[in-house]
């Protein structure tokens, strides 16, 4: 009887140790998955071709440019089109508007329709059109 009790105690102790080891592995796997989905994009702001600022910002796969801009800059927008960035506003009277490129290609759609990819280079230029 004593032997059976010792054996049962040993089994319970082993099960407890194994269960404790299994729970510490899960958060590490979740952290690695989060790190893999976080991506970087470089956003440059310029006015009439002269750089105002540039910074790398993080985003997650599937994020749209407008959402990323709102998270990292002071943005005003109208129907998905950005009208002001960090206090630099477009001016219809001066025919000056925010235009942007992604990887040196002019975007044919508003920032709300551009899905970012890791390593993209986005340049917003406040210029006469």
């Amino acid at each position: 009887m004593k032997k059976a009790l010792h054996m049962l105690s040993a089994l319970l102790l082993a099960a407890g140790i194994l269960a404790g080891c299994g729970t510490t592995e899960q958060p590490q796997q979740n952290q690695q998955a989060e790190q893999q989905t976080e991506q970087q994009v470089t956003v440059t702001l310029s006015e009439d071709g002269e750089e105002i600022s540039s910074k790398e910002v993080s985003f997650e796969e599937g994020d749209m440019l407008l959402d990323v801009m709102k998270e990292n800059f002071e943005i005003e927008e109208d129907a998905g089109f950005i009208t002001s960035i960090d206090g630099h506003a477009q001016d219809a009277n001066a025919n000056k508007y925010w235009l942007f490129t992604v990887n040196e290609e002019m975007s044919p759609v508003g920032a709300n329709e551009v899905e970012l990819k890791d390593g993209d280079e986005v340049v917003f230029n406040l210029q006469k059109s």
Side-chain angles (χ1 to χ4, degrees), residues 89-114:
Q90 57 189 31
D91 183 356
N93 294 330
N95 204 27
K96 208 169 196 181
Y97 298 95
W98 279 110
L99 302 174
F100 71 96
T101 61
V102 178
N103 301 323
E104 299 182 5
E105 291 186 28
M106 186 65 67
S107 177
V109 296
N112 64 333
E113 295 183 50
V114 175

Side-chain angles (χ1 to χ4, degrees), residues 1 6 47 63 68 70-72 79-80 83 94 105 112 115 117 123 126:
M1 179 76 165
H6 279 13
E47 187 167 350
D63 281 355
V68 173
K70 285 180 178 180
E71 290 174 8
N72 294 281
T83 59
E105 291 186 28
N112 64 333
E115 185 176 330
K117 295 175 184 60
V123 176
L126 184 59

Side-chain angles (χ1 to χ4, degrees), residues 42-47 50-55 73 85-86 88 122-124:
T42 301
V43 178
T44 302
L45 305 179
S46 62
E47 187 167 350
E50 291 189 37
E51 187 174 309
I52 299 169
S53 67
S54 183
K55 68 178 174 178
F73 299 90
I85 304 174
D86 288 347
H88 299 273
V122 179
V123 176
F124 280 90

